[in-house]
Amino acid sequence: MAAPTAAESRAAALGAVSAKWLAAGLSTARADRQAAAEAARLAYRSAGLPEPRHVVWFASPLAGARAAALLTGRRDLPGAAPDPAEEAIAAQLRGQGCPPVIGSAGASVRAAVRTAPWAAARAEAHDLLGPDGWAGLWAACGADVWRLVNDRIATPLRTHLRGELPVHARAVLLDAVGGQHDAGWLAAFDAAAPVPGAPPAAAGGTPAAGPVFTAGPVAAAWVSAAGSGGADAASGSASGIGAGPVGAGSGLGVGPGGAAPVFSAGPVGAVWANLGAGEAALHAVQRLAGLAGVARSSSWWWPYANVAILTDRPDTLHRDNIGRLHAADAPALHYSDGYALHAWRGMPIPSDLVDRLAHLTYRQIADERNAELRRVMLEHFGYDRYLREAGAHKVAQDECGILWRLNFADDEPLTMVEVINSTPEPDGTSRVYWLRVPPQTRTAREGVAWTFGLTEEEYRPLIQT
């Protein structure tokens, strides 16, 4: 077998970084609480902050948000009826040695722990690679992970959390750090991690206590840029970056004595070293090691001056074939304390709808006032069955099929083409398919053409399959 080309080696190395962080973002494994807590403390130190007096744990982001609301004072006004959920949170805080004193968390330090280090790391990587190089790195390592983790899991979760929290407590969601759901941008910075041996730098450039970076799978992937294309690399262009031998290692390593996990050395770090930047290079990326360590073993977390509130990863995650939260008869996302999110093809749905789906009638669907929920019910019930039972109107029929339409009072009409597969099944029958088409469709041919991105006049199939 021929040796892989430079481009193939580079793509494989960057793909490995992306896959590692996608796995972290989707993980339902039990958290390593000790490692995550140490990583959180490292994140504080790397930001130049004192470590929090307390690091406390809760089983879900909802419980973590409730704890943040209690400790920051974002809670019911004095004199309100006791909140059993808040009392349970207070009991858990006491059990972990953290007095549940209202307002005792101190100010949010999210900007110092997460926002500022992220911006500094991006600026350094951007300066090294230039706009095109940074865009290429993001496309190779971060974009897909961000889409599958942040867009399709974290965003629906945030929407659901807002609905679960009292209005006065929702502001704490602005204080949260994503943990494992920050996997997309952490993947890109992992690929930009510095060379081995450069200690993490604290604010002001002083090396912080903690682990050093270890050699990872892409340590030398772009090293040839410094030899043959160093001028391009130094000027910020990615065009001259080639691929050298793939380094040993496997993702986040551990520092001396088994300290918190950190980034592996990525391709950008190798370029810096060969350009003579040495251990001074990419200190901003190094300061993300604590955030990366938390993300490898926990879900959302809240950094405050006096308290860091960490939460466990989910114990159940169900997705459809394109990565959206989805489950027909169970929570799509579930945490060990019972907090759960039900979803149908990415859209959060009420938990009671799951039970109703198994016993739907077309009348219940017709009576549903929420158009989005009605669409979920329609997909589960089956469009063909609904059209039959609800009395849809036949609009047109031609050699391509039959066009059906059913009007709703508060939504666009349900318009579908019934088509028959011209290739018989093994038993001699022909399968019927239903294609949803735009409401303004006038003929079955026009509807079928639309599914191919064509006009009715352009649709001239030579063979029907």
Side-chain angles (χ1 to χ4, degrees), residues 21 35 42 82 94-97 100 118 149 190 199 207 219 236 279 283 340 378 402 445:
W21 280 103
L42 174 61
R94 281 191 291 268
Q96 298 182 67
W118 181 94
V149 176
D190 195 354
E279 293 186 355
H283 278 177
L378 275 168
I402 304 173
R445 171 178 283 277

Side-chain angles (χ1 to χ4, degrees), residues 39-52 107-121 175-179 182 185-186 203 284-292 294 301-308 310:
R41 294 185 179 97
L42 174 61
Y44 277 69
R45 295 197 305 270
S46 297
L49 299 173
E51 294 183 8
S108 170
V109 294
R110 182 184 189 276
V113 169
R114 194 272 193 189
T115 306
W118 181 94
D175 299 338
V177 179
D182 279 335
W185 64 265
L186 286 170
V285 172
Q286 290 175 299
R287 288 196 290 272
L288 300 176
L291 289 171
V294 178
W301 65 291
W302 282 259
Y304 294 103
N306 302 322
V307 181
L310 277 64

